[in-house]
Amino acid sequence: MKGNNTEIQKLSETVIKGGYCIGCGACASLDGSPFKIEMDEHLMFQARLNDKESKLPFSDVSVLSVCPFSNENLNENEIGKDLYGGDAVKDDKLGYVRATYAGYVVEDSFREKGSSGGMGTWILTELFTRGLIDGVAHVHAVEPTERDSRLFKYHLSTTIEEIVNGAKSRYYPIEMSEVVKQIKEKPGKYAIVGLPCFIKAIRLLMLKDQVLSERIKFCIGLVCGHLKSAHFANMWAWQVGIHPTTLIGIDFRTKLEGYGANQYGITATGSVEGERISKVSPPLSKLFGANWGWGLFKYKACDYCDDVVAETADVTIGDAWLPRYVRDSAGTNIIIIRNRVIQRILEDAESLNRISMEHLSKKDIIASQSSGFAHRRESLSFRLFLADTKNKWRPQKRVEASEELVNSKIKKRQELRIQLAEQSHILFNKAIGADSFQLFVRELQPLVTAYQKLYRLSLLQRLKITIKRKLKL
């Protein structure tokens, strides 16, 4: 064993103190690591150094080489090329690609139980049934306790029932150091599901750890807007009458009959006077905080990520946010395939009508996530520029810092999004202290109003749209 005191200090001084830690747990999963993952005062997971152990040698693996936001590791292009460069085509925004589809599961109740088309859970069960994996590391709902208030955490599923129970989207802070250690302790073949930065961290760990490299057979990626603090769940629950202090469960994607796929609600479950009750919301657009562009409760690290579609995953699953699909409330997935085994499984199942798929162009895949790409590419260049003007450390990205790629209105939006995210953490804690959700709304409203004004069309723009519509009649 050799010490990594310089590495420890550097990670602490850059990623962690700079606020760029996503709380994934990669550093804490290393054997004997002095890092631990804890929730901070804003209910986000962050790496913390145990000062009593910080001078002890713990591993010959560099902590900087496995952190997805450090500047001393491989980027997504380099990882993707090593994994898929032999027979997949490189796309600037999607990474290496073998095939792209839109689709949903026809058989059983996968589509009904999933957030969208049910493809993610179906792929995992198919890998398991075929004996290609013995288990799945993915996020499950859990009951909070006095010692652990979490509503979701990574779980190692080793039965079909457990795999299916891990369906649905979880807009909630999670960390994976616990489940990574379980994989290292329990021999077998595994798939792991995660957000882009988490999958990148897993790939980096696999490059350094032979046991993980041998046991993790498939990485399943999820399209990501950004990661939320636990207060995102509390915000929805409070608005449907479940106080944050009584919240014991939440479904972030409740499909509502008669509404489009993008008009979902939430179901919050709480313990009120000893009785367990659940309340379903109307479409979230009718509640405060539904605009994803506001970035409420967002991790700072998410504003310094340039991977929307988990470019280092064998397959990526997301929502088909395109007009021809959103009208179907049952949901449809986009599917980006990089692994030939998964491609063969999907195409065989489609030929047997077990799933429904149609080829979707890369252009349409990108269009289905247009807001995410706009924020993490062109707009990221401006956020990097802002960070550089402060002469402080920030992560290197595949996007160059510049103020030239966006106009003045977009620059203002970016500045307001940063403020909205920062203030949402502060003001929600203040609202809980005052036991008043309206305090949160009232004090955040000036920023919200300023942000919304930037999206209003001028009189001339509205006139042009009206003329175009009349000409089409």
Side-chain angles (χ1 to χ4, degrees), residues 288 291 293-294 296 408-420 423 441-457:
F288 182 83
N291 189 323
W294 294 0
L296 303 186
S408 59
K409 183 175 285 189
I410 294 176
K411 290 177 183 178
K412 184 61 178 175
R413 286 176 190 167
Q414 295 306 308
E415 291 169 344
L416 284 169
R417 283 180 178 179
I418 292 170
Q419 293 178 59
L420 279 163
Q423 288 300 308
V441 175
R442 184 173 64 252
E443 297 208 11
L444 199 63
Q445 194 61 53
L447 286 174
V448 170
T449 300
Y451 182 81
Q452 290 174 326
K453 282 182 179 179
L454 294 172
Y455 282 86
R456 291 177 185 169
L457 297 175

Side-chain angles (χ1 to χ4, degrees), residues 16-166:
I16 297 173
K17 287 190 177 179
Y20 299 104
C21 177
I22 197 65
C24 67
C27 62
S29 73
L30 297 173
D31 293 339
S33 174
F35 288 102
K36 56 184 177 179
I37 307 299
E38 296 180 331
M39 272 196 175
D40 68 9
E41 69 273 19
H42 301 304
L43 301 191
M44 295 183 288
F45 277 121
Q46 296 284 280
R48 294 287 182 257
L49 188 60
N50 186 335
D51 292 334
K52 293 181 180 179
E53 300 178 9
S54 63
K55 295 181 180 180
L56 297 178
F58 69 95
S59 173
D60 58 0
V61 177
S62 161
V63 289
L64 292 169
S65 71
V66 300
C67 172
F69 284 91
S70 87
N71 287 341
E72 299 186 30
N73 57 38
L74 299 177
N75 65 29
E76 290 82 353
N77 290 346
E78 294 163 331
I79 297 170
K81 184 178 181 180
D82 288 343
L83 290 168
Y84 315 113
D87 55 0
V89 178
K90 176 70 167 64
D91 181 88
D92 180 57
K93 292 184 176 179
L94 303 180
Y96 287 86
V97 177
R98 290 183 62 86
T100 49
Y101 294 98
Y104 56 87
V105 182
V106 175
E107 64 184 4
D108 298 328
S109 57
F110 288 96
R111 195 183 190 194
E112 176 187 343
K113 292 180 179 179
S115 295
S116 193
M119 292 298 301
T121 304
W122 183 89
I123 289 171
L124 294 169
T125 60
E126 194 69 10
L127 291 172
F128 184 85
T129 301
R130 290 173 178 241
L132 295 173
I133 58 173
D134 303 310
V136 177
H138 56 161
V139 178
H140 270 229
V142 294
E143 290 278 344
T145 66
E146 288 186 9
R147 295 186 63 183
D148 190 343
S149 63
R150 286 180 289 180
L151 302 181
F152 301 94
K153 64 180 179 179
Y154 263 99
H155 173 78
L156 201 58
S157 295
T158 55
T159 67
I160 289 291
E161 182 181 8
E162 284 185 312
I163 294 171
V164 171
N165 286 340

Side-chain angles (χ1 to χ4, degrees), residues 327-339:
R327 288 188 290 271
D328 186 349
S329 63
T332 304
N333 289 119
I334 58 166
I335 309 152
I336 306 169
I337 302 173
R338 304 183 183 90
N339 178 293

Side-chain angles (χ1 to χ4, degrees), residues 118 342 427 468:
I342 291 177
L427 293 177
K468 284 182 180 180

